[in-house]
Amino acid sequence: MNALETIITIVVMNVVYVSLFTIRIILVMKARRVLASFISMFEVFVYLMALNIVLQNINEPLNLAAYCIGWGAGVWLGIKIDEWIALGYSILQIVVNYESTQLPLTLRDKGFGVTSWMAEGRDGPRLVMQVLTKRNQEKRLMQLIHDLAPKAFVISYEPRTFRGGFWTKRLKDLRE
């Protein structure tokens, strides 16, 4: 293998390795044990092969640079893959002025489950909503909120587990 082939091989292998690593971590966090274990076998194989190439040519600074470039590109690609597959769910907590009382109805009409309640903010009464959605629908929901209530305060986070309520009934109905 010539020097250019070695550099390209190192970059590509590290992109693959770090992307697999990122996906595996996401799957572990989502409690997808079997798939995470399966991916880890390929991950460690690619890692060892790339590391072997670098260590055999440790005196070449370009190989070390290729390893670092591949690592960084792998992190970027892993994040993009996470965005594409968007596993799991998100909870959005939305706070709007009290006058936006039609927002929960509109969101429900668009297919989202909404729990809402009144709260007191610094500047007066507020309407607080909690909306559970699939992660792949979060951008759509955020755009909808922006269109309907541009001044809304929105917090998004990922629940690890949930049970009961609108979503679990809907998921159960889909499985039957």
Side-chain angles (χ1 to χ4, degrees):
M1 199 179 322
N2 68 35
L4 182 59
E5 289 173 336
T6 301
I7 289 170
I8 292 170
T9 301
I10 292 169
V11 169
V12 169
M13 290 181 87
N14 244 10
V15 167
V16 170
Y17 158 65
V18 178
S19 297
L20 289 173
F21 173 84
T22 304
I23 293 166
R24 178 181 54 85
I25 293 298
I26 291 164
L27 292 170
V28 167
M29 291 172 49
K30 304 286 185 203
R32 305 268 178 107
R33 294 175 190 97
V34 174
L35 189 54
S37 298
F38 186 71
I39 286 176
S40 72
M41 291 185 291
F42 292 103
E43 172 195 339
V44 75
F45 176 79
V46 173
Y47 168 74
L48 291 173
M49 295 301 290
L51 188 61
N52 183 43
I53 293 169
V54 171
L55 291 177
Q56 285 180 358
N57 302 287
I58 194 74
N59 57 338
E60 294 294 329
L62 287 179
N63 292 343
L64 297 175
Y67 194 86
C68 297
I69 290 167
W71 189 282
V75 169
W76 181 86
L77 182 59
I79 291 168
K80 283 299 187 190
I81 291 169
D82 174 51
E83 291 173 0
W84 293 330
I85 60 177
L87 292 174
Y89 296 87
S90 292
I91 292 179
L92 277 71
Q93 184 169 327
I94 308 156
V95 181
V96 294
N97 288 335
Y98 178 71
E99 293 80 34
S100 300
T101 55
Q102 293 301 308
L103 188 56
L105 298 173
T106 304
L107 293 177
R108 287 183 190 115
D109 287 344
K110 300 285 185 183
F112 296 101
V114 180
T115 300
S116 61
W117 61 94
M118 296 306 303
E120 190 65 34
R122 184 189 77 179
D123 297 326
R126 298 285 182 254
L127 177 64
V128 180
M129 291 161 279
Q130 189 164 328
V131 181
L132 178 68
T133 187
K134 289 185 176 181
R135 271 192 63 220
N136 64 6
Q137 293 295 308
E138 184 176 351
K139 286 183 183 179
R140 177 178 157 248
L141 178 57
M142 288 293 285
Q143 184 61 51
L144 188 59
I145 293 165
H146 176 73
D147 293 345
L148 299 171
K151 293 184 179 182
F153 176 69
V154 182
I155 300 171
S156 171
Y157 54 94
E158 290 186 48
R160 182 162 159 83
T161 59
F162 58 89
R163 63 174 222 172
F166 171 78
W167 268 98
T168 52
K169 181 178 179 344
R170 178 189 255 181
L171 293 173
K172 183 180 174 188
D173 291 344
L174 290 175
R175 282 185 237 144
E176 294 176 350

